[in-house]
Amino acid sequence: MPEGDTIFRAARTLHRALADQRVTRFESVVPRLTRVDADAPIAGRVIERVEARGKHLLIWFSGALVLRTHMRMHGSWHIYRPGERWRQPRREMRIVIETTAIHAVAFSVPVAEFVPAATLDAAPALRDLGPDLLSAGFDAESAVDRLLALAGVEIADALLDQHALAGIGNVYKSEVLFMGRVDPFAPVRTLSREQIARLVSIAARVMRANVGEGTSAGIATYSGMRRTTGRADPAARLWVYGRAGQPCRRCGTPISTRTQGPHARSTYWCAQCQD
Ligand SMILES: [Zn+2]
């Protein structure tokens, strides 16, 4: 599943490509979008901005209309020049937004709706989001409070709860817990406020480091170069995620893995460093 940094980068790339341009053509195979487009056409509107909120991507159109999409597991937004060959099959296309310079295409995006700008903040999917790690005004104290409120939840699952803290996905979950030397299976109530605050601080730091400048243009959704170790070598980018059975980079103990939580998400950890 894309994490907050992926969506943040996608939003930034789309913003740079589309902001202040007029839509020349809109196409979708999603009935709830085409119904809105039939009543109040998207073509002719100006794209005002594109932003990420947690893992939601918001495209603001003139006329106070917002397109909200969520990538879930396999969705992505691509940007192409007119006439450029798509890098995903046409059958995966869900939305096309064209301007004279750019064609933005959403593939396999499972969640898409138009929301009037005036009611956006009240939309159920956004209303209950916790503080966004990548937002300029990130409220770390509030995030810590919300995590502490999940007293009986194992910390790894609590970090994935977008109502507590928006932006962390499964890769950062394991990485942040390793960096903070916290057992992923420890219930929140067994951790101190200081430990939780440290995890939040680590999460903010590594996620921000991963949305630094310098991505290539073209495909907007980025997934390949996330890193937490600070090392550019592709084989050394992450501490524990995806490294089951390989030696811990700190102590040499083989990295453990098992599924965890109601959604059976994979957790990776070092039983020696994180007990
Ligand atoms: Zn270790």
Side-chain angles (χ1 to χ4, degrees), residues 144-153 188:
V144 172
D145 289 339
R146 288 168 181 240
L147 286 167
L148 284 167
L150 301 172
V153 179
V188 166

Side-chain angles (χ1 to χ4, degrees), residues 178 181 247-253 255 269-274:
F178 176 85
R181 295 182 181 254
C248 172
R249 300 192 194 283
R250 273 189 191 136
C251 75
T253 300
I255 297 300
W269 79 103
C270 173
Q272 179 70 29
C273 292
Q274 296 171 257

Side-chain angles (χ1 to χ4, degrees), residues 32-53:
R32 66 194 304 193
L33 299 186
T34 55
R35 275 197 301 272
V36 173
D37 182 48
D39 287 345
I42 305 307
R45 295 176 190 252
V46 172
I47 297 151
E48 294 176 339
R49 66 182 188 277
V50 184
E51 65 178 14
R53 203 175 293 180

Side-chain angles (χ1 to χ4, degrees), residues 59-115:
I59 301 178
W60 296 69
F61 296 94
S62 58
L65 193 64
V66 182
L67 174 61
R68 176 180 75 88
T69 55
H70 194 296
M71 316 272 195
R72 297 272 186 249
M73 297 299 275
H74 303 296
S76 60
W77 275 96
H78 291 191
I79 54 176
Y80 299 106
R81 297 287 173 189
E84 190 180 348
R85 186 185 169 84
W86 292 359
R87 283 176 250 187
Q88 294 266 347
R90 174 141 194 115
R91 66 175 179 277
E92 308 290 341
M93 181 277 281
R94 298 293 177 272
I95 306 164
V96 180
I97 300 170
E98 294 183 9
T99 70
T100 53
I102 292 289
H103 294 177
V105 187
F107 294 101
S108 307
V109 167
V111 178
E113 65 170 354
F114 283 116
V115 185

Side-chain angles (χ1 to χ4, degrees), residues 219-251:
I219 291 183
T221 300
Y222 137 113
S223 61
M225 289 306 289
R226 180 176 294 130
R227 65 190 196 196
T228 56
T229 57
R231 293 165 66 179
D233 174 358
R237 288 181 298 113
L238 298 174
W239 290 108
V240 291
Y241 185 84
R243 299 192 62 244
Q246 298 179 48
C248 172
R249 300 192 194 283
R250 273 189 191 136
C251 75

